[in-house]
Amino acid sequence: MSAMPTPTAIRIIREEHQALSAMLSSLHLLLRQHRQDGTPVRFDVLRAMLFYIDEFPERLHHRKETDLLFPLIRARSDSAGEILEKLDRDHGVGERAIRDLEHTLLSWEMLGDSRRDGFEQAVERYLSFYLKHMQLEEEVVLPLAQQVLEPADWAVLDDAFSENRDPLTGHPPSAEYEQLFSRIVRTAPAPIGLGGAA
């Protein structure tokens, strides 16, 4: 018996996880590069990267997981209730954390290098937090979803996640985002350049 094809929503979620992971890794690499080389810090690029994380993963990706994917799984199975509650809490923590990162970056830019360590440490915490979060989703939640969700559920999820159009997963940026993504992709170190975005 042939395996069922991977639902579109699952493919998009994984692509968006890969894009977020790449953006976070590039942010980390850029900070390390500035420190090692003693080059002037590109605050505009750091701001653009944090804005991307806030605008796409936080506002689109995570909200659709919390508002659509997780409730559908809960309706079909009671085996992952605690994990889904934790992931929902993570999404709330993540929204606050990205705002805190943006503020911490601004304080470094406005007040100088005495605030640099605080920002770099906050980036490390955020990176570790989201890598663990995405690993839990990919290793536990997505396989469970593929086991318990029905075709009608996948139709809803496929439509919803297909609207995201994240440029780092290969979609051309809309006119309003074109300059933002051009700045990030031109300046950020590897691994940015997913999905033909570079």
Side-chain angles (χ1 to χ4, degrees):
M1 185 174 177
S2 61
M4 293 292 291
T6 302
T8 298
I10 294 280
R11 178 180 54 76
I12 292 170
I13 288 168
R14 287 181 177 143
E15 288 173 353
E16 290 178 350
H17 283 175
Q18 187 181 12
L20 175 56
S21 179
M23 182 65 75
L24 290 170
S25 296
S26 288
L27 178 59
H28 177 261
L29 289 170
L30 186 60
L31 289 169
R32 190 170 69 185
Q33 192 176 76
H34 282 314
R35 188 176 277 279
Q36 286 177 346
D37 299 346
T39 52
V41 176
R42 290 291 306 271
F43 286 107
D44 61 326
V45 177
L46 295 174
R47 280 195 307 271
M49 295 170 92
L50 294 182
F51 181 78
Y52 159 81
I53 294 167
D54 192 12
E55 196 78 354
F56 284 89
E58 292 293 353
R59 293 179 193 266
L60 290 177
H61 177 93
H62 293 151
R63 288 188 185 173
K64 286 181 181 177
E65 289 176 336
T66 287
D67 294 344
L68 294 173
L69 176 63
F70 297 170
L72 285 170
I73 294 173
R74 287 187 183 101
R76 305 290 181 198
S77 171
D78 57 7
S79 66
E82 288 185 16
I83 289 172
L84 295 175
E85 288 297 325
K86 179 197 181 313
L87 293 172
D88 275 335
R89 287 194 302 274
D90 283 356
H91 288 166
V93 168
E95 282 196 40
R96 291 188 298 276
I98 195 65
R99 302 308 186 308
D100 289 345
L101 269 177
E102 289 169 326
H103 177 78
T104 307
L105 178 62
L106 182 62
S107 71
W108 176 17
E109 185 176 8
M110 294 294 107
L111 301 177
D113 267 359
S114 64
R115 302 296 180 98
R116 179 181 196 145
D117 287 348
F119 178 74
E120 290 179 345
Q121 290 164 13
V123 168
E124 293 286 345
R125 288 192 300 272
Y126 189 85
L127 175 60
S128 175
F129 167 74
Y130 260 125
L131 291 179
K132 290 175 185 171
H133 173 88
M134 291 185 289
Q135 182 179 17
L136 186 56
E137 288 181 340
E138 297 215 5
E139 292 182 357
V140 177
V141 174
L142 298 185
L144 177 61
Q146 287 186 274
Q147 289 173 17
V148 302
L149 297 187
E150 298 181 357
D153 302 325
W154 288 118
V156 170
L157 292 168
D158 290 350
D159 286 347
F161 278 93
S162 293
E163 293 172 355
N164 286 6
R165 315 289 295 172
D166 183 338
L168 288 187
T169 62
H171 299 287
S174 63
E176 66 179 341
Y177 289 113
E178 191 168 357
Q179 205 169 21
L180 169 73
F181 281 92
S182 176
R183 177 180 300 150
I184 292 171
V185 172
R186 275 197 327 266
T187 311
I192 290 295
L194 297 173

